[in-house]
Amino acid sequence: MNPYGYFDDAAREYVITRPDTPLPWLNYLGSDEYFGLCTNTAGGYTFWKDAKLRRISRYRYNNMPMDLGGRYLYVRDGDVVWNPGWKPTKTALDHYECRHGLGYTKIVGRKDSVEVELLFFVPPGENTEVWKTTIRNTGDVAKSITLFSFIEFCLFEANNDMTNYQRTYSIGEVEVEGAGIYHKTEYRERRNHYALFGCTRPVDGFDTSRDAFVGVHNGLNDPDVPLRGKSRNSIGHGWNPIGSHQINLTLAPGASESFAFILAYVEQGDEPKFDKRFVMNKSVGRAELERYSRPGAVDAAFAKVEAYWDNLLARFQTECPDPHASRMLNTWNQYQCMATFNLSRSASLFETGIGRGMGFRDSNQDILGFVHMIPERARQRILDIASTQLVDGTCYHQYQPLTKKGNAEIGGNFNDDHLWLVLSTASYLRETGDRSILDAAIGYADVPGSTDSLLHHLETSIAYTLRERGPHRLPLIGHADWNDCLNLNCFSTEPNESFQLIGDVEGSKAESVMIAGLFLYAAREMVSMYKWLGRPADADRVQSYYDDMLATVEEQAWDGEWYIRAFDAAGNPVGSKSCEEGKIFIESQAWCVLGGAGASNGRAKQAMESVHKYLYTPDGIILQQPAYSEYHLELGEISSYPPGYKENAGIFCHNNTWINLGWCLLGDGDRALEYYLSICPSAKEDKIDTYRCEPYVYAQMIAGRDADTPGEAKNSWLTGTAAWTFLSVSQGLLGIQPSYEGLRVDPCIPKSWPGFSVSRMYRGTTYNITVDNPSGICQGVRRMTVDGVVVDGNVIPPSASGGMVDVRVVLGA
Ligand code: GLC
Ligand code: GLC
């Protein structure tokens, strides 16, 4: 039992029944360009496209309390001031409920017979956040109350906003027109956009100066204006602009009133900027507020959010015997895949939206779990990412979503990055069959004006890894591979330098077995792709690269019971029985196995059994064992974490999923499900006070058994776990695999499962697939019929019908 809430599966909501959750539990609003972070107490902030360069409302991370600042509504009833989401006043409520749904959050608070419902959402395709507000008098006497809305504006560039007070305290500018509060800082000079915080009903007062509303010596828990009960109608000049409306309401017993606040990002476009000197032309914003003030407009906009998600999720739905797997796959996992696709690792409660932009490897992997929902957007993203590749094959490790330019501070030379581009492109091709993407012309980031085909970018990626190899003929690791904290080339002794970027050790030839495995996987993708394209010579050529790397891996990287992880700058093995600590790692087992190593000589099975013996725990698979107990200069950041956390023997959920796929490859569906459940948040509800993060989305990390807080999760939401879990369960366990030839059905399920069904939209047709498991096995399709006709093998022939196709599958020997 989870004392904080429960899943309402039918409504696709997670319902939080008390506000003091073990950590703030987050939801996201918006799915195109305008995004809001919204916690269960209405905390969070909003931005347009880029949390660093276009932040609309302000948020101070790691505050006390941790989550402070957001979309607040203060209710003043007599002398009592309260918030429907409990915070910031924390006045005790008679009733509280928060429903995190798909693209919306609904918070209801009630006190002394006044019930306030706030429904926050961003309609698809719009740059406006709507707060539908409903006030009900649930008692039997009339009520007169005063409401005060509150938002603190961010001066758009979030880094400057939080650091450069000598400037920012002097630049803030606002205008007020009726119920519209316009935040126009820097609009007079280089900005052609502004923010609008408006109300769809007439207001009885307003404030735009934080000092006037909150008070210099007060906080959001005891803001001056709600306490005194009257707005000051302040106009902010510099300092900190805010938006607040005062609304006086009298409600008869049983009566209710509904209206909305809107928070919009407005681009001025070609409209003249000013009506007259110092007075901005507000026509675009004014029209937006008018549009939402029309009867029915708010509800119609919300209906669009619901329809949007109904449509998207209908592309993949399953009924399977495991309730956690079903609800996560059908709803929350796909929803989280949208968030990671949109935001990469940029803006969550653990990422400030300022540091990282979009990650090259991260975004490529995010596509794997997203491509079935909106392939067109995946296509564009692949092209954007590819254009941050350099002509030698390496790529910018990160880029800024607004400018789509590589981040020069961090640069390239993370030697796994470019290979993930092969995986994302292949997943797009297998999903859509749209080969035109391979001809799309995209430049290399370091050659202005260059254009080359995407296919050539993929070849450049393959060539880079083939070329950049070390003494064991394994790929050089560069700054790091997938494990950002395995820093074999930079011996950092200064606390104030970056583990990844400090000057490379002279002549270092540190190598990565994980990259070798990833290369095998990518090369095999290329071979299949060339065969499908009807280019057998190219398929053979890439096959020969594969064979060569496979031989190298088998000769150089086998340690007796598992695959070595890497060779350090001195040529010593990392992740070998000869090491004192860090003897065995997940990543090399996973990628060697997924890449086809050990398939013919029993090593794959042995490597996986070693994972089970040394790394598996009921809370997930530990990244490596034994944990590093001291700092190792030659290994870098990995040994900087206390044992059991993050890359130092934490449970990194992301790479757990690769092992789960490995079990499916080996045909062990029982292990695959058991491992899956070990990191599944929905299965953590009975130990939620230990786990602490949201039970509806995967976390990046769970503290391992070496930690002092084993089982405690961190870094929820923005993690590669989202996309990879979707793959490991939908394609591995349930075995619904998009392939070049068509949809393949190759389940690997627990023996006890009698069967399951999946409805999958693929290339425009919906396949209703029923799988029966009469003889209680894990893997093996005995018979498949498509619309009643028996077909050979287990690939559903592509159908151009655009309608429904009935597929029956029977497992058996
Ligand atoms: C983080 C990074 C990801 C990296 C992983 C392991 O999740 O976003 O790029 O692969 O950590 O270090
Ligand atoms: C990854 C790791 C994190 C590390 C970062 C870069 O995201 O998860 O531990 O700090 O890379 O240094």
Side-chain angles (χ1 to χ4, degrees):
M1 259 305 280
N2 177 350
Y4 304 97
Y6 60 93
F7 285 92
D8 182 342
D9 289 321
R12 293 174 169 158
E13 291 173 332
Y14 192 84
V15 188
I16 301 167
T17 49
R18 46 186 272 199
D20 57 339
T21 43
L23 286 172
W25 285 355
L26 183 71
N27 193 16
Y28 287 94
L29 316 174
S31 43
D32 301 295
E33 298 193 328
Y34 184 108
F35 300 102
L37 284 76
C38 186
T39 69
N40 59 303
T41 53
Y45 63 103
T46 63
F47 57 92
W48 181 74
K49 272 192 182 178
D50 191 315
K52 179 181 180 193
L53 300 176
R54 287 290 187 282
R55 195 175 295 197
I56 294 160
S57 63
R58 200 179 254 174
Y59 195 67
R60 290 171 199 79
Y61 273 93
N62 198 8
N63 218 319
M64 290 178 287
M66 196 174 196
D67 170 36
L68 181 64
R71 309 158 174 81
Y72 291 142
L73 188 69
Y74 294 89
V75 183
R76 188 184 160 101
D77 178 5
D79 287 338
V80 183
V81 176
W82 56 278
N83 302 98
W86 185 53
K87 281 201 298 207
T89 57
K90 299 213 282 188
T91 306
L93 300 172
D94 299 337
H95 170 74
Y96 158 93
E97 185 184 85
C98 167
R99 286 180 175 258
H100 281 325
L102 305 179
Y104 66 90
T105 287
K106 189 198 285 183
I107 294 179
V108 180
R110 189 177 67 233
K111 188 169 182 62
D112 301 332
S113 307
V114 175
E115 184 172 276
V116 179
E117 178 182 306
L118 288 169
L119 172 65
F120 304 109
F121 63 95
V122 177
E126 296 190 20
N127 296 331
T128 297
E129 176 179 308
V130 182
W131 312 1
K132 182 181 175 191
T133 306
T134 308
I135 324 286
R136 300 184 187 93
N137 179 353
T138 60
D140 44 21
V141 289
K143 279 278 187 184
S144 288
I145 55 167
T146 315
L147 303 176
F148 298 93
S149 62
F150 176 82
I151 197 88
E152 185 174 6
F153 290 114
C154 179
L155 308 176
F156 300 113
E157 208 279 277
N159 202 27
N160 197 52
D161 183 79
M162 288 199 296
T163 48
N164 192 13
Y165 300 111
Q166 64 79 26
R167 171 173 164 82
T168 58
Y169 278 173
S170 294
I171 61 177
E173 291 189 278
V174 292
E175 283 184 41
V176 177
E177 179 189 82
I181 295 172
Y182 293 81
H183 173 228
K184 59 166 189 177
T185 300
E186 292 184 334
Y187 180 80
R188 277 181 309 104
E189 21 112 353
R190 296 166 299 169
R191 294 192 185 277
N192 202 28
H193 48 258
Y194 56 87
L196 160 67
F197 185 41
C199 183
T200 61
R201 82 186 286 295
V203 299
D204 300 292
F206 64 86
D207 276 291
T208 65
S209 149
R210 194 179 88 193
D211 289 351
F213 181 82
V214 178
V216 176
H217 297 286
N218 293 37
L220 292 175
N221 58 316
D222 61 349
D224 193 58
V225 160
L227 289 183
R228 79 195 271 266
K230 195 169 171 24
S231 294
R232 291 203 158 85
N233 295 347
S234 59
I235 294 290
H237 301 283
W239 297 107
N240 300 290
I242 60 143
S244 173
H245 308 90
Q246 175 181 339
I247 292 163
N248 304 333
L249 284 182
T250 298
L251 291 175
S256 69
E257 184 166 336
S258 204
F259 55 93
F261 297 98
I262 64 164
L263 181 62
Y265 170 78
V266 185
E267 296 234 318
Q268 189 67 349
D270 298 330
E271 287 287 306
K273 275 184 92 162
F274 293 96
D275 283 345
K276 59 180 187 214
R277 214 160 175 226
F278 299 124
V279 178
M280 65 193 289
N281 167 2
K282 298 184 268 298
S283 55
V284 185
R286 193 183 297 130
E288 185 70 353
L289 185 54
E290 277 165 15
R291 187 163 74 88
Y292 272 102
S293 304
R294 283 179 213 136
V298 168
D299 291 335
F302 184 62
K304 281 197 221 158
V305 177
E306 292 183 298
Y308 178 84
W309 279 105
D310 283 350
N311 268 326
L312 275 190
L313 295 187
R315 295 172 153 250
F316 185 101
Q317 287 291 300
T318 182
E319 276 178 43
C320 77
D322 188 81
H324 301 294
S326 303
R327 75 156 58 109
M328 293 305 292
L329 271 179
N330 288 340
T331 305
W332 296 98
N333 193 178
Q334 298 192 68
Y335 185 55
Q336 186 177 4
C337 285
M338 171 68 84
T340 58
F341 174 83
N342 281 322
L343 303 171
S344 189
R345 307 296 169 266
S346 68
S348 71
L349 293 179
F350 302 89
E351 308 271 8
T352 61
I354 292 175
R356 295 223 239 177
M358 311 288 277
F360 191 99
R361 79 158 81 85
D362 297 328
S363 290
N364 275 305
Q365 293 174 77
D366 295 340
I367 285 169
L368 308 178
F370 175 83
V371 63
H372 70 287
M373 284 194 272
I374 315 183
E376 309 73 42
R377 286 189 69 198
R379 185 184 205 274
Q380 186 55 48
R381 177 65 52 77
I382 290 168
L383 301 181
D384 288 348
I385 296 173
S387 68
T388 64
Q389 185 170 37
L390 310 183
V391 72
D392 72 353
T394 182
C395 5
Y396 279 109
H397 193 50
Q398 291 158 6
Y399 71 98
Q400 215 43 54
L402 189 70
T403 61
K404 298 185 180 173
K405 293 270 178 280
N407 172 350
E409 277 153 50
I410 186 146
N413 287 102
F414 289 74
N415 281 357
D416 63 316
D417 271 339
H418 50 277
L419 292 173
W420 300 107
L421 183 63
V422 178
L423 272 66
S424 61
T425 305
S427 79
Y428 174 80
L429 290 170
R430 286 193 268 103
E431 182 69 36
T432 62
D434 165 26
R435 41 185 90 186
S436 77
I437 191 174
L438 293 168
D439 301 323
I442 359 169
Y444 290 99
D446 54 341
V447 188
S450 63
T451 54
D452 218 330
S453 64
L454 178 64
L455 181 58
H456 193 265
H457 279 258
L458 303 186
E459 285 282 358
T460 310
S461 297
I462 294 287
Y464 183 88
T465 302
L466 269 185
R467 187 174 71 235
E468 301 291 321
R469 298 210 264 175
H472 301 86
R473 305 194 65 247
L474 290 163
L476 295 175
I477 195 168
H479 290 314
D481 61 22
W482 173 85
N483 189 332
D484 272 330
C485 298
L486 194 59
N487 313 125
L488 305 180
N489 284 322
C490 21
F491 291 7
S492 175
T493 52
E494 289 293 324
N496 44 4
E497 57 194 24
S498 152
F499 283 107
Q500 282 82 29
L501 302 183
I502 201 64
D504 283 359
V505 176
E506 190 88 23
S508 164
K509 298 269 182 220
E511 299 164 284
S512 163
V513 177
M514 184 259 160
I515 299 181
L518 181 60
F519 177 88
L520 292 177
Y521 192 95
R524 234 174 16 188
E525 286 283 13
M526 293 281 287
V527 171
S528 313
M529 188 187 80
Y530 275 128
K531 286 184 180 156
W532 170 67
L533 291 173
R535 292 171 58 166
D538 286 310
D540 289 348
R541 174 175 54 84
V542 181
Q543 181 67 42
S544 72
Y545 307 154
Y546 176 92
D547 295 342
D548 176 57
M549 188 66 83
L550 181 64
T552 308
V553 166
E554 298 290 15
E555 274 159 31
Q556 306 289 342
W558 183 249
D559 198 48
E561 280 181 80
W562 58 79
Y563 289 98
I564 289 171
R565 175 64 175 84
F567 288 95
D568 69 14
N572 296 318
V574 178
S576 149
K577 58 177 180 292
S578 65
C579 304
E580 257 174 42
E581 298 180 332
K583 286 175 187 287
I584 171 171
F585 278 67
I586 291 184
E587 300 99 304
S588 44
Q589 317 321 319
W591 281 103
C592 288
V593 170
L594 294 179
S600 55
N601 54 18
R603 287 176 176 177
K605 177 86 166 76
Q606 202 178 352
M608 294 288 289
E609 288 297 345
S610 296
V611 168
H612 192 68
K613 185 165 162 196
Y614 299 109
L615 301 178
Y616 179 68
T617 75
D619 279 323
I621 315 163
I622 295 176
L623 194 143
Q624 102 280 10
Q625 284 282 278
Y628 295 109
S629 57
E630 24 185 277
Y631 179 53
H632 289 257
L633 196 59
E634 76 287 6
L635 302 179
E637 187 172 355
I638 188 168
S639 59
S640 75
Y641 288 107
Y645 295 100
K646 294 283 280 180
E647 282 87 341
N648 188 15
I651 293 157
F652 225 88
C653 298
H654 182 166
N655 60 15
N656 274 236
T657 63
W658 304 333
I659 295 288
N660 302 352
L661 277 170
W663 284 122
C664 294
L665 205 64
L666 299 183
D668 194 334
D670 289 298
R671 284 261 165 92
L673 183 71
E674 181 193 348
Y675 277 43
Y676 163 66
L677 291 175
S678 71
I679 61 159
C680 178
S682 154
K684 303 284 185 189
E685 286 212 284
D686 54 358
K687 42 181 159 179
I688 199 74
D689 277 308
T690 302
Y691 184 78
R692 301 182 75 201
C693 279
E694 297 91 339
Y696 43 88
V697 286
Y698 297 94
Q700 178 210 53
M701 201 265 302
I702 303 173
R705 67 179 164 217
D706 301 289
D708 285 320
T709 59
E712 180 191 40
K714 286 190 190 122
N715 305 357
S716 54
W717 273 105
L718 300 184
T719 160
T721 317
W724 278 106
T725 305
F726 187 72
L727 252 64
S728 77
V729 187
S730 69
Q731 299 192 20
L733 208 75
L734 303 184
I736 310 300
Q737 305 164 1
S739 80
Y740 290 106
E741 294 74 35
L743 202 55
R744 172 177 289 117
V745 184
D746 188 14
C748 178
I749 56 176
K751 291 186 220 62
S752 62
W753 280 19
F756 63 90
S757 64
V758 166
S759 166
R760 173 69 151 91
M761 158 109 64
Y762 180 69
R763 302 191 189 177
T765 299
T766 299
Y767 297 92
N768 294 316
I769 306 167
T770 313
V771 176
D772 283 315
N773 186 21
S775 37
I777 60 167
C778 288
Q779 196 174 34
V781 171
R782 193 178 74 206
R783 181 186 148 92
M784 183 161 93
T785 60
V786 176
D787 278 339
V789 180
V790 178
V791 298
D792 272 348
N794 60 349
V795 178
I796 308 168
S799 146
S801 78
M804 301 270 201
V805 173
D806 184 62
V807 181
R808 309 254 154 167
V809 176
V810 181
L811 302 186

